[in-house]
Amino acid sequence: MNIAIIGSGLTGIVAAISLAKAGARVDLYERLSDEELVNRDRAYAITHSSRRILERIGLWPKIISDLVPFQYLNVIDYELNKKVQFHVNDLKKEERNYLSVGWIANHNKTMSTMLEFISHIDNINKIPTSVIPNTNNYDLIVAADGSNSTTRKKLKTPSLIFNYDQICITAKVLIRGMKSNEALEILNTEGPLAVLPLGGDLFQVICSQSIKKGSYNLSLPKSLFLDYLSTILPYGIEPDTIIDEPKSYPIKFLLNYSFHSGKYIYLGETSHTFHPVGGQGLNLCWRDVESLTNLVSSDIWKNKIFFIPLLYSISRLFDVLSISILTDCLVRYSRSNSNIFFIPRILIFFILDKSQIARKLILNTMTNGF
């Protein structure tokens, strides 16, 4: 089977490896240089669903040394001053052996390792352009060129798109009083704030705020921005130093009405882009890869390739739609300050605090999807 992939970000490159391992011949189209692909300052939360995919294609042993594991995930409702802690014992039995709720990946280290990995796979051909000269040469064409996909625009695929009235601010911060094996998700009326461990006292802060508040905080000197963070972080946890320039980007919701168009298949953020709350983005994209690989490697569909795009769309519908609703509800839950929701919020945190079954259900959903 001949497959073209447009875009070699973390989704496109994992798709290329996975499909090549399944026996396909893959042409990977990418207009950016390897240096441009590597030099992006981002961090990602990786769950066990992603770990299983990376293990299957042989990447896990290559990148595990660059990942930062965390054993505790503390979810805090800032308005209620309530906390729920998810930990390794809330995972499925087979996942507890890894002694981690999840891992934090640094983009440049992970991408460098993946680019090195594909250079040794014979049936992946990396082509330095994003334009396919002859689409008739391919059985399937996978668009993994991101939320601003030119492929999706060219094919005029309809999508539900809206911008949240928020921006996301990211910064690497040295923090005192926080364990190196824990992560935070703080829900407050300005928007969710995540604190992800990067090793030692270094953490990635991902802060969602209204455009007005976020623009104001970005204009502050670093010392005053640290003062702001100290008002949000729990007592005893103190931000010390910002070691890079805080960056910001708008937050949007994008969901394609269809995940395919003819023999084109939309993968990852080309078909769905959601709010970063809960760290679902990359994990959801890699579950797309797993679903597509399962179809391509199945003997049933090898002689009926024209069915694969439709089957892929159907197979991904429930997981993607469920995560889209879940993340959007989390954002609206976080930002709600209405008294109507006060008692339900207390009840939710009470149940999660007292019931391991409820914690296991939530953590399994956030870890493995639907």
Side-chain angles (χ1 to χ4, degrees):
M1 189 181 299
N2 292 329
I3 298 177
I5 298 177
I6 306 169
S8 62
L10 288 176
T11 299
I13 203 167
V14 168
I17 296 167
S18 185
L19 293 169
K21 294 275 186 178
R25 179 186 162 280
V26 178
D27 284 343
L28 182 57
Y29 288 84
E30 176 57 67
R31 63 181 178 81
L32 299 179
S33 67
D34 286 356
E35 184 179 0
E36 289 173 304
L37 288 169
V38 168
N39 289 331
R40 294 179 181 176
D41 189 18
R42 294 189 67 179
Y44 310 92
I46 292 179
T47 67
H48 283 274
S49 69
S50 292
R51 184 261 308 160
R52 286 192 294 273
I53 294 164
L54 298 177
E55 281 183 334
R56 180 176 53 77
I57 63 178
L59 258 174
W60 187 250
K62 303 290 184 181
I63 71 167
I64 183 60
S65 61
D66 292 326
L67 303 180
V68 179
F70 59 95
Q71 285 77 44
Y72 304 96
L73 171 61
N74 297 311
V75 179
I76 299 170
D77 189 314
Y78 183 79
E79 304 303 319
L80 297 180
N81 194 26
K82 299 288 185 182
K83 180 180 84 170
V84 171
Q85 185 175 81
F86 297 89
H87 47 80
V88 172
N89 289 337
D90 294 325
L91 292 167
K92 290 181 176 179
K93 185 177 180 180
E94 62 272 20
E95 294 168 347
R96 294 176 205 159
N97 296 331
Y98 290 85
L99 303 177
S100 295
V101 170
W103 297 262
I104 305 303
N106 184 293
H107 175 88
N108 26 22
K109 290 181 180 179
T110 304
M111 179 58 79
S112 294
T113 301
M114 290 183 177
L115 287 169
E116 170 64 21
F117 192 81
I118 66 167
S119 66
H120 301 290
I121 301 177
D122 292 337
N123 50 333
I124 296 179
N125 179 30
K126 200 161 179 288
I127 301 172
T129 179
S130 59
V131 178
I132 301 175
N134 187 354
T135 59
N136 293 324
N137 291 337
Y138 300 103
D139 301 303
L140 296 173
I141 299 173
V142 176
D145 48 346
S147 60
N148 295 316
S149 169
T150 55
T151 308
R152 187 184 64 242
K153 293 173 184 175
K154 181 181 72 174
L155 296 175
K156 298 180 179 178
T157 302
S159 305
L160 171 62
I161 303 176
F162 64 84
N163 290 319
Y164 287 96
D165 60 337
Q166 288 187 308
I167 59 173
C168 188
I169 300 173
T170 64
K172 288 184 171 67
V173 183
L174 292 172
I175 297 178
R176 286 180 287 117
M178 188 165 167
K179 296 176 182 177
S180 60
N181 64 348
E182 67 178 342
L184 293 179
E185 185 80 53
I186 301 173
L187 307 175
N188 70 91
T189 53
E190 276 295 332
L193 183 147
V195 183
L196 308 177
L198 296 176
D201 294 332
L202 184 62
F203 294 83
Q204 182 87 36
V205 174
I206 304 171
C207 181
S208 305
Q209 298 185 324
S210 66
I211 295 172
K212 183 178 179 180
K213 182 71 175 288
S215 300
Y216 171 75
N217 281 331
L218 278 173
S219 69
L220 293 174
K222 288 183 179 180
S223 59
L224 293 180
F225 185 66
L226 286 171
D227 288 343
Y228 164 73
L229 288 178
S230 68
T231 66
I232 301 294
L233 294 174
Y235 177 78
I237 296 178
E238 294 292 334
D240 235 358
T241 309
I242 297 176
I243 68 166
D244 63 352
E245 286 298 324
K247 298 177 178 63
S248 70
Y249 57 89
I251 305 173
K252 74 177 179 180
F253 180 103
L254 181 149
L255 180 62
N256 283 10
Y257 293 138
S258 173
F259 299 155
H260 77 284
S261 178
K263 66 178 177 180
Y264 283 81
I265 290 173
Y266 300 120
L267 209 65
E269 291 192 342
T270 305
S271 61
H272 49 74
T273 302
F274 306 138
H275 196 287
V277 64
Q280 290 298 297
L282 186 60
N283 300 290
L284 188 64
C285 294
W286 284 352
R287 291 202 294 274
D288 289 353
V289 173
E290 182 177 40
S291 294
L292 178 58
T293 304
N294 289 340
L295 288 168
V296 168
S297 60
S298 171
D299 290 335
I300 298 173
W301 307 113
K302 282 187 177 176
N303 295 321
K304 302 173 182 176
I305 296 172
F306 52 88
F307 281 123
I308 289 179
L310 176 60
L311 291 170
Y312 167 78
S313 284
I314 295 171
S315 70
R316 293 305 298 141
L317 182 61
F318 186 68
D319 188 22
V320 172
L321 190 58
S322 299
I323 293 298
S324 74
I325 294 170
L326 177 62
T327 54
D328 190 65
C329 286
L330 269 174
V331 175
R332 297 181 191 281
Y333 168 95
S334 174
R335 300 186 69 191
S336 170
N337 57 5
S338 171
N339 291 332
I340 297 174
F341 297 103
F342 184 74
I343 292 177
R345 289 170 77 148
I346 290 178
L347 184 60
I348 289 169
F349 269 77
F350 177 81
I351 292 171
L352 288 175
D353 184 49
K354 300 300 181 182
S355 171
Q356 188 179 38
I357 293 174
R359 291 198 303 274
K360 284 184 174 181
L361 178 63
I362 295 296
L363 189 57
N364 180 62
T365 299
M366 301 302 285
T367 298
N368 298 303
F370 289 87

